[in-house]
Amino acid sequence: MIKVISTENMRKSEAAAIEKSLTAFELISRAGLAIFEAVDWKPPVAVVCGGGNNAADGFATASRLKTAGIDVTLFLLSDRLTEDGRYFFDECTSIGVEMKQGLDNLSLDGYNTVLDCIFGIGFRGDEISDPYKTAIERINESGAYVVSADINSGLVANSGLAGEDDDGACVRSNLTVSLGSFKSGHFLNSAKDYIENKINCDIGIESVGDAAYLIEPSDIRRIFCGRLQNSNKGDYGYVAIIGGSVEYSGAAKLANLALSALRSGAGVSKLAVPRCITKAVLPYILESTLYELDDIDGQFCFSHGAIDRLLYHTRAAAVGMGMGRSDEVKRLLEYMLCEYSGRLIIDADGLNVLAGMDIKYFKNASCRLILTPHPKEFERLCGKKFDECRHDLVTAAKEYAKNTGTILLLKGTTTIITDGNTVYLSDSGDCGMATAGSGDVLSGILAGICGYVSDDDLLLGVAAGAYLNGLAGALASREIPSVAMISGDTVRHIPDAMREIIG
């Protein structure tokens, strides 16, 4: 797993490193070397610098480039230099690095590589004015291979937001070279729209304080490996999926939901829908078992006897998809939270109903509760505008999970998974998954995994589900243009994603 930390913890980590043995001078020198070694430089190179230590990293890199015989020019947007930055600036001067001062001299025509060193992790999302705004625009329009030092200028390192309204001036990089540790802003919100590729370079700073952990395939391999030949379907979990209504006409999507549970490893998948739509769903159901539930006027009707029979011997259940927000759905949730002892995944309409329920149902739940909201659903659950939360999503998710005693899977370009103590991040996925039914597929995957994963591995299993879902979607996008993807494409690529994880 890869550590991902907040900007506050990055500053604390730098301070701790300096207090122990390193100096700021040494850290800048190491940063320059790390950036120099991380990039396949195509000269001539333009290094565009603002002020502060991000500029100092640029000076240290320019010095390395010049010493290596690579044609490099420093473009200076500010004359504000730190004490250590002044040393590396003077070094560049002494070895003959070409320098150009001010916006009027910032022409990037003819440069094959541009290194962005305008802002560092200190950028807080304020409105960007000239000369920096125009400089960022010129970098983006240069046609050069763009490298950002530590984080893209204009991207908030703690949130991944681009300026005040997430639509500000921001460098679009081909490669971002993170220094010390990845920051949350390398992954969250709009980060993927500005960062094509990223790497982190160790420069001798040991991270202190809390961290989130970015999931890699090796971290979740054991979730999907180790099955015995001498085993049967009962060993891998019976799971129930409860959803649908007349208004929810996506019979194929409901079938995909049930199928994704099987594709992710469940032994038996039971799809329970209101009686009025069983005929529509039946042609799409092959491997799964279809279970009829009572209904009234095309909507689910609660019967504890029917639910008891459905949930008998199941280890996990997913509920809420396409069910509507009726009182009957509320009765179902109240009953399951009080009486069901398995793992309960709540999504879609189930989340919206849950948002209006007393928190005592969370606190006293007999089941292990897993919530999978998208941003608007999370807003309803936590009672805060998402715009307030998105500036520090990791903290908001962690606090909500801790306060409610749930496992929270907060969907996004990078998904946050937390039980209030440990935080995992999954950055697999593709924009083609922004289509109807994608959340249903994820719920099915989670139900399947929760049907067999151990108690000790439950949080990791939920993270594995998020990663598997995203990877399947990303693999689908290699064959199908993102704009043309449907949720079934993700389901079809679950086995390919599983194979890639298992290795």
Side-chain angles (χ1 to χ4, degrees), residues 225-244:
C225 292
R227 294 199 164 185
L228 299 174
Q229 295 297 330
N230 184 22
S231 60
N232 61 70
K233 62 186 180 184
D235 295 323
Y236 305 116
Y238 283 66
V239 303
I241 295 163
I242 310 170

Side-chain angles (χ1 to χ4, degrees), residues 7 52 174 332 372:
T7 52
N174 299 99
L332 170 66
T372 62

Side-chain angles (χ1 to χ4, degrees), residues 219-482:
D219 302 320
I220 57 175
R221 191 165 292 140
R222 73 171 187 269
I223 301 295
F224 305 115
C225 292
R227 294 199 164 185
L228 299 174
Q229 295 297 330
N230 184 22
S231 60
N232 61 70
K233 62 186 180 184
D235 295 323
Y236 305 116
Y238 283 66
V239 303
I241 295 163
I242 310 170
S245 62
V246 164
E247 287 79 10
Y248 186 84
S249 57
K253 286 184 287 185
L254 285 167
N256 281 337
L257 202 162
L259 180 59
S260 60
L262 291 172
R263 287 294 193 191
S264 59
V268 176
S269 173
K270 298 191 282 186
L271 176 61
V273 299
R275 185 172 289 107
C276 58
I277 63 171
T278 53
K279 288 183 180 179
V281 174
L282 189 59
Y284 297 93
I285 294 293
L286 296 176
E287 294 86 356
S288 301
T289 301
L290 188 61
Y291 191 96
E292 286 188 337
L293 297 173
D294 292 339
D295 63 351
I296 299 175
D297 299 328
Q299 298 284 333
F300 164 79
C301 179
F302 175 71
S303 164
H304 66 78
I307 295 301
D308 285 345
R309 289 190 292 274
L310 170 66
L311 296 179
Y312 176 72
H313 200 53
T314 63
R315 197 160 184 221
V319 62
M321 298 66 64
M323 295 188 75
R325 308 182 189 184
S326 69
D327 288 341
E328 295 296 297
V329 175
K330 182 180 179 182
R331 290 179 65 198
L332 170 66
L333 293 181
E334 289 175 348
Y335 183 77
M336 293 186 71
L337 288 169
C338 292
E339 302 296 333
Y340 185 53
S341 60
R343 288 86 180 264
L344 179 59
I345 300 108
I346 300 181
D347 189 28
D349 287 331
L351 292 171
N352 294 322
V353 172
L354 198 69
M357 292 171 56
D358 194 308
I359 198 171
K360 70 179 183 181
Y361 286 104
F362 298 81
K363 297 284 190 180
N364 301 322
S366 60
C367 56
R368 195 67 173 96
L369 189 55
I370 300 159
L371 309 182
T372 62
H374 58 55
K376 198 66 179 177
E377 291 163 343
F378 184 64
E379 182 177 284
R380 297 185 191 112
L381 284 170
C382 70
K384 296 180 183 177
K385 290 294 184 183
F386 191 73
D387 282 350
E388 298 175 32
C389 299
R390 66 180 185 157
H391 294 280
D392 192 352
L393 280 175
V394 170
T395 297
K398 190 174 179 181
E399 287 180 352
Y400 181 82
K402 193 174 190 66
N403 290 339
T404 56
T406 61
I407 291 177
L408 180 72
L409 185 154
L410 180 56
K411 299 169 186 173
T413 52
T414 291
T415 295
I416 301 170
I417 307 98
T418 179
D419 61 357
N421 296 304
T422 303
V423 180
Y424 294 126
L425 302 178
S426 172
D427 74 336
S428 61
D430 181 81
C431 61
M433 299 172 75
T435 186
S438 288
D440 298 344
V441 173
L442 173 60
S443 292
I445 289 173
L446 293 175
I449 293 173
C450 288
Y452 60 82
V453 73
S454 70
D455 289 339
D456 289 342
D457 276 341
L458 181 58
L459 180 65
L460 185 64
V462 174
Y467 189 91
L468 176 65
N469 180 61
L471 181 56
L475 293 176
S477 72
R478 296 179 189 175
E479 299 180 6
I480 303 159
S482 296

Side-chain angles (χ1 to χ4, degrees), residues 3-6 9 12-13 206-213 398:
K3 277 189 176 182
V4 180
I5 65 176
S6 67
N9 282 352
K12 289 179 180 178
S13 301
E206 184 178 347
S207 66
V208 298
D210 292 339
Y213 296 90
K398 190 174 179 181

